[in-house]
Amino acid sequence: DAGVIQSPRHEVTEMGQEVTLRCKPISGHDYLFWYRQTMMRGLELLIYFNNNVPIDDSGMPEDRFSAKMPNASFSTLKIQPSEPRDSAVYFCASSFRGFNEQFFGPGTRLTVL
Amino acid sequence: AQKVTQAQTEISVVEKEDVTLDCVYETRDTTYYLFWYKQPPSGELVFLIRRNSFDEQNEISGRYSWNFQKSTSSFNFTITASQVVDSAVYFCALSEANAGGTSYGKLTFGQGTILTVHP
Protein backbone atom coordinates (compact mmCIF):
# COMPACT_ATOMS: atom_id res chain seq x y z
CA ASP A 1 0.00 0.00 0.00
CA ALA A 2 1.18 3.50 -0.73
CA GLY A 3 2.00 5.63 2.25
CA VAL A 4 1.22 9.29 2.66
CA ILE A 5 2.13 11.14 -0.50
CA GLN A 6 3.30 14.74 -0.49
CA SER A 7 4.15 17.03 -3.35
CA PRO A 8 6.31 18.75 -4.21
CA ARG A 9 9.25 17.28 -2.30
CA HIS A 10 11.21 20.51 -2.65
CA GLU A 11 9.99 24.01 -3.31
CA VAL A 12 12.08 27.12 -3.73
CA THR A 13 10.21 30.36 -4.12
CA GLU A 14 10.67 34.06 -3.66
CA MET A 15 9.21 36.14 -0.88
CA GLY A 16 5.69 37.24 -1.63
CA GLN A 17 4.82 34.30 -3.84
CA GLU A 18 1.99 31.89 -3.15
CA VAL A 19 2.99 28.37 -2.18
CA THR A 20 0.69 25.34 -2.24
CA LEU A 21 1.68 22.07 -0.64
CA ARG A 22 -0.30 18.92 -1.38
CA CYS A 23 -1.01 15.76 0.52
CA LYS A 24 -2.72 12.46 -0.20
CA PRO A 25 -3.38 10.49 3.01
CA ILE A 26 -3.44 6.74 3.34
CA SER A 27 -6.72 5.35 2.05
CA GLY A 28 -9.16 4.65 4.87
CA HIS A 29 -7.58 7.04 7.33
CA ASP A 30 -9.98 9.56 8.81
CA TYR A 31 -7.49 11.98 10.34
CA LEU A 32 -5.07 14.22 8.49
CA PHE A 33 -2.41 16.41 10.08
CA TRP A 34 -0.09 19.16 8.86
CA TYR A 35 3.16 19.75 10.75
CA ARG A 36 6.08 22.11 10.32
CA GLN A 37 9.63 21.30 11.38
CA THR A 38 12.35 23.89 11.95
CA MET A 39 15.57 23.85 13.90
CA MET A 40 14.37 26.61 16.19
CA ARG A 41 10.84 25.39 16.94
CA GLY A 42 11.07 21.66 16.33
CA LEU A 43 7.97 19.80 15.16
CA GLU A 44 4.79 21.81 15.43
CA LEU A 45 1.25 20.76 14.64
CA LEU A 46 -0.34 23.36 12.39
CA ILE A 47 -3.82 21.96 11.82
CA TYR A 48 -5.64 18.68 11.73
CA PHE A 49 -8.80 17.36 10.11
CA ASN A 50 -11.20 14.60 11.03
CA ASN A 51 -13.39 13.32 8.22
CA ASN A 52 -12.36 16.34 6.13
CA VAL A 53 -13.46 18.82 8.81
CA PRO A 54 -10.85 21.03 10.49
CA ILE A 55 -10.76 20.22 14.21
CA ASP A 56 -7.94 22.35 15.54
CA ASP A 57 -6.13 25.09 13.65
CA SER A 58 -4.63 26.77 16.68
CA GLY A 59 -1.14 26.01 15.42
CA MET A 60 -1.54 27.92 12.17
CA PRO A 61 0.91 30.78 12.60
CA GLU A 62 -1.07 33.55 10.96
CA ASP A 63 -3.64 34.41 8.35
CA ARG A 64 -1.15 33.88 5.57
CA PHE A 65 -1.57 30.14 6.15
CA SER A 66 -4.67 28.24 5.12
CA ALA A 67 -5.49 24.56 4.75
CA LYS A 68 -8.28 22.71 3.04
CA MET A 69 -9.44 19.15 2.71
CA PRO A 70 -12.02 19.00 -0.06
CA ASN A 71 -12.28 15.22 0.10
CA ALA A 72 -10.95 12.22 1.99
CA SER A 73 -8.02 11.74 -0.34
CA PHE A 74 -6.59 15.22 -0.74
CA SER A 75 -5.49 18.18 1.32
CA THR A 76 -3.62 21.40 0.62
CA LEU A 77 -1.66 23.81 2.76
CA LYS A 78 -1.33 27.24 1.23
CA ILE A 79 0.92 30.12 2.21
CA GLN A 80 0.11 33.48 0.68
CA PRO A 81 2.21 35.58 0.65
CA SER A 82 5.25 33.53 1.62
CA GLU A 83 8.05 34.96 3.76
CA PRO A 84 11.62 33.76 4.41
CA ARG A 85 10.67 32.72 7.95
CA ASP A 86 8.26 30.17 6.46
CA SER A 87 11.25 28.15 5.28
CA ALA A 88 10.91 24.72 6.88
CA VAL A 89 10.04 21.11 6.21
CA TYR A 90 6.29 20.60 6.10
CA PHE A 91 4.99 17.15 6.91
CA CYS A 92 1.60 15.70 6.28
CA ALA A 93 0.47 12.70 8.34
CA SER A 94 -2.63 10.57 8.53
CA SER A 95 -4.10 8.10 10.99
CA PHE A 96 -7.09 5.88 11.53
CA ARG A 97 -8.74 7.31 14.60
CA GLY A 98 -6.98 10.18 16.30
CA PHE A 99 -5.35 8.15 19.04
CA ASN A 100 -3.60 5.69 16.78
CA GLU A 101 -0.16 6.12 15.31
CA GLN A 102 0.24 8.77 12.67
CA PHE A 103 1.93 7.85 9.41
CA PHE A 104 4.04 10.64 8.01
CA GLY A 105 4.73 11.59 4.45
CA PRO A 106 8.27 12.29 3.24
CA GLY A 107 7.85 16.02 3.77
CA THR A 108 8.15 19.09 1.57
CA ARG A 109 11.27 21.17 2.06
CA LEU A 110 10.24 24.78 1.47
CA THR A 111 12.79 27.51 0.94
CA VAL A 112 11.57 31.09 0.65
CA LEU A 113 14.23 33.47 -0.63
CA ALA B 1 -1.20 22.69 28.48
CA GLN B 2 0.57 19.53 27.50
CA LYS B 3 4.34 19.46 27.38
CA VAL B 4 7.01 16.92 26.50
CA THR B 5 10.60 17.30 27.65
CA GLN B 6 13.52 15.38 26.23
CA ALA B 7 16.36 16.73 28.31
CA GLN B 8 19.11 14.99 26.36
CA THR B 9 19.81 17.05 23.28
CA GLU B 10 22.54 14.78 21.97
CA ILE B 11 23.91 11.37 22.94
CA SER B 12 26.96 9.74 21.48
CA VAL B 13 27.77 6.06 22.06
CA VAL B 14 29.96 3.38 20.61
CA GLU B 15 28.37 0.44 18.85
CA LYS B 16 27.09 -2.33 21.16
CA GLU B 17 26.60 0.03 24.07
CA ASP B 18 23.15 0.28 25.63
CA VAL B 19 21.55 3.72 25.58
CA THR B 20 18.46 5.16 27.25
CA LEU B 21 16.58 8.16 25.90
CA ASP B 22 14.56 10.04 28.49
CA CYS B 23 11.11 11.52 28.05
CA VAL B 24 9.09 13.39 30.67
CA TYR B 25 5.62 14.70 29.98
CA GLU B 26 3.05 16.98 31.56
CA THR B 27 -0.68 16.61 31.19
CA ARG B 28 -3.83 17.26 33.16
CA ASP B 29 -5.76 14.51 31.44
CA THR B 30 -6.25 11.03 32.82
CA THR B 31 -6.54 9.58 29.33
CA TYR B 32 -3.69 10.26 26.96
CA TYR B 33 -1.37 8.50 24.54
CA LEU B 34 2.41 8.48 24.32
CA PHE B 35 4.49 7.80 21.24
CA TRP B 36 8.07 7.45 20.11
CA TYR B 37 9.13 8.31 16.57
CA LYS B 38 12.48 7.95 14.84
CA GLN B 39 13.79 10.40 12.25
CA PRO B 40 16.82 8.96 10.44
CA PRO B 41 19.14 11.18 8.38
CA SER B 42 16.90 10.65 5.35
CA GLY B 43 14.29 12.81 7.09
CA GLU B 44 11.17 10.71 7.28
CA LEU B 45 9.40 10.13 10.58
CA VAL B 46 9.00 6.49 11.53
CA PHE B 47 6.54 5.33 14.17
CA LEU B 48 8.06 3.12 16.87
CA ILE B 49 5.51 2.64 19.64
CA ARG B 50 2.25 3.88 21.14
CA ARG B 51 1.17 3.58 24.76
CA ASN B 52 -2.10 4.61 26.37
CA SER B 53 -2.21 6.04 29.87
CA PHE B 54 -3.89 2.93 31.29
CA ASP B 55 -1.24 0.49 30.18
CA GLU B 56 1.92 0.72 32.25
CA GLN B 57 3.37 -2.57 31.12
CA ASN B 58 6.85 -2.27 29.79
CA GLU B 59 7.34 -3.38 26.24
CA ILE B 60 10.21 -5.02 24.44
CA SER B 61 10.61 -5.27 20.70
CA GLY B 62 13.88 -6.79 19.67
CA ARG B 63 16.65 -4.48 20.84
CA TYR B 64 14.14 -1.78 21.78
CA SER B 65 12.37 -1.49 25.11
CA TRP B 66 10.17 1.12 26.71
CA ASN B 67 9.58 1.94 30.35
CA PHE B 68 6.36 3.83 31.14
CA GLN B 69 5.97 5.16 34.69
CA LYS B 70 2.93 7.28 35.43
CA SER B 71 4.20 8.09 38.92
CA THR B 72 7.10 10.04 37.45
CA SER B 73 5.37 11.00 34.16
CA SER B 74 8.13 9.35 32.20
CA PHE B 75 8.24 7.21 29.10
CA ASN B 76 11.86 6.22 28.52
CA PHE B 77 13.26 4.34 25.56
CA THR B 78 16.23 1.97 25.72
CA ILE B 79 18.21 0.57 22.83
CA THR B 80 20.22 -2.49 23.75
CA ALA B 81 23.44 -3.27 21.89
CA SER B 82 23.19 -0.16 19.75
CA GLN B 83 24.11 -0.25 16.08
CA VAL B 84 25.24 2.41 13.64
CA VAL B 85 21.84 2.18 11.92
CA ASP B 86 20.23 3.40 15.14
CA SER B 87 21.77 6.83 14.55
CA ALA B 88 18.82 9.20 14.21
CA VAL B 89 16.80 11.82 16.00
CA TYR B 90 14.28 10.27 18.36
CA PHE B 91 11.10 12.09 19.32
CA CYS B 92 8.75 11.44 22.18
CA ALA B 93 5.20 12.74 21.73
CA LEU B 94 2.01 13.11 23.75
CA SER B 95 -1.57 13.07 22.52
CA GLU B 96 -4.34 14.57 24.59
CA ALA B 97 -8.01 15.09 23.94
CA ASN B 98 -9.12 18.30 22.30
CA ALA B 99 -11.16 20.89 24.18
CA GLY B 100 -14.40 19.07 23.50
CA GLY B 101 -12.97 15.72 24.50
CA THR B 102 -13.95 14.27 21.16
CA SER B 103 -10.60 13.81 19.51
CA TYR B 104 -7.11 12.72 20.44
CA GLY B 105 -5.25 13.75 17.35
CA LYS B 106 -3.23 16.65 18.68
CA LEU B 107 0.36 15.46 19.09
CA THR B 108 2.84 17.52 21.08
CA PHE B 109 6.43 16.54 20.32
CA GLY B 110 9.51 16.87 22.48
CA GLN B 111 12.52 18.62 21.03
CA GLY B 112 14.13 15.34 20.10
CA THR B 113 17.34 13.57 21.07
CA ILE B 114 20.07 13.20 18.47
CA LEU B 115 21.62 9.76 18.86
CA THR B 116 24.92 9.05 17.18
CA VAL B 117 26.28 5.52 17.29
CA HIS B 118 29.93 5.26 16.33
CA PRO B 119 31.38 2.07 14.87
Side-chain angles (χ1 to χ4, degrees), chain B residues 71-90:
Chain B
S71 60
T72 56
S73 297
S74 65
F75 186 42
N76 298 335
F77 172 32
T78 297
I79 302 175
T80 303
S82 60
Q83 299 177 1
V84 172
V85 293
D86 295 327
S87 297
V89 183
Y90 290 88

Side-chain angles (χ1 to χ4, degrees), chain B residues 27-70:
Chain B
T27 177
R28 288 175 292 185
D29 279 7
T30 55
T31 301
Y32 51 89
Y33 298 84
L34 294 163
F35 301 80
W36 276 94
Y37 282 85
K38 173 183 179 179
Q39 188 173 39
S42 52
E44 74 273 22
L45 280 150
V46 180
F47 165 77
L48 295 177
I49 191 171
R50 181 191 77 145
R51 259 291 175 265
N52 72 54
S53 52
F54 300 107
D55 182 1
E56 287 194 73
Q57 277 194 337
N58 292 333
E59 180 155 341
I60 298 174
S61 176
R63 297 185 297 107
Y64 295 171
S65 61
W66 290 268
N67 182 271
F68 175 31
Q69 292 195 345
K70 286 179 75 171

Side-chain angles (χ1 to χ4, degrees), chain A residues 15-80:
Chain A
M15 184 173 63
Q17 296 298 305
E18 177 179 297
V19 175
T20 299
L21 311 181
R22 297 172 176 80
C23 176
K24 177 178 170 56
I26 293 173
S27 177
H29 282 188
D30 55 348
Y31 278 79
L32 183 138
F33 308 84
W34 283 101
Y35 291 89
R36 178 173 67 176
Q37 185 177 32
T38 62
M39 288 294 293
M40 291 297 294
R41 301 178 65 89
L43 267 163
E44 304 173 278
L45 176 66
L46 300 177
I47 184 171
Y48 74 94
F49 297 83
N50 175 215
N51 292 324
N52 313 339
V53 176
I55 301 299
D56 188 335
D57 65 354
S58 59
M60 295 286 262
E62 47 196 278
D63 291 345
R64 297 184 297 106
F65 286 69
S66 63
K68 293 182 180 179
M69 192 166 185
N71 57 61
S73 58
F74 184 66
S75 177
T76 59
L77 178 68
K78 186 176 293 186
I79 308 173
Q80 166 63 21

